[in-house]
Amino acid sequence: MFSSFRPVLFCTVAFLAPVAAFAGEMILFQDANFQGRSLSLRSDASDLSRQGFNDKTSSVIVRSGTWEVCKDARYRGECRVLQPGRYRTVPMNDAISSAREVRGKGRGDGRDNGHDNGRNHGNGGPDAPPRRY
């Protein structure tokens, strides 16, 4: 009786397993030191104005995952990568307009151990390497 459900169950598990592996969480705060209004993200946000949080972030907690935050909507402008941790202040204070979890190689792969080392990658955009801090 249950043998007919095995392929369906296997396909469902195989499909959902990669999604769960990248289920990060980041909390944005309106004020420094994790004060003021907050917004919890568990998925990409290409335009934070939709959540009423455009250009309002002053501190961040990255609970899990690696996240890219950008000054402009749709992951454009200057971007930075945030590793798990508590950021009492952010250099892009009141300037973050989009955020997404970094998946796969090429972005957030730890090549510089999460440190910016003074490099500025310019105006960024979806295909430019992000700054890390």
Side-chain angles (χ1 to χ4, degrees):
M1 176 176 163
F2 291 105
S3 63
S4 63
F5 292 109
R6 285 185 187 158
V8 173
L9 179 61
F10 176 75
C11 290
T12 302
V13 171
F15 174 75
L16 293 177
V19 174
F22 294 107
E25 181 180 10
M26 176 172 65
I27 305 169
L28 310 176
F29 293 87
Q30 190 168 357
D31 300 322
N33 296 312
F34 320 113
Q35 300 294 310
R37 206 170 116 229
S38 65
L39 174 67
S40 180
L41 296 177
R42 292 188 177 141
S43 63
D44 298 350
S46 65
D47 186 353
L48 288 170
S49 66
R50 294 178 187 159
Q51 290 94 343
F53 227 81
N54 185 54
D55 294 343
K56 295 187 180 196
T57 301
S58 294
S59 57
V60 174
I61 296 175
V62 178
R63 290 195 176 187
S64 58
T66 299
W67 291 79
E68 178 183 50
V69 294
C70 299
K71 281 193 172 184
D72 297 328
R74 294 185 308 278
Y75 320 109
R76 297 181 185 268
E78 181 181 352
C79 296
R80 303 240 180 153
V81 171
L82 302 176
Q83 303 291 334
R86 298 169 61 90
Y87 301 83
R88 293 186 177 282
T89 60
V90 290
M92 294 169 58
N93 185 50
D94 292 340
I96 295 172
S97 296
S98 57
R100 63 182 165 186
E101 189 176 5
V102 177
R103 298 172 182 94
K105 292 187 176 183
R107 292 182 169 271
D109 60 1
R111 287 177 287 177
D112 62 6
N113 297 323
H115 299 289
D116 179 36
N117 296 326
R119 292 187 298 261
N120 183 347
H121 295 289
N123 219 8
D127 299 318
R131 288 182 68 180
R132 294 187 169 100
Y133 66 102

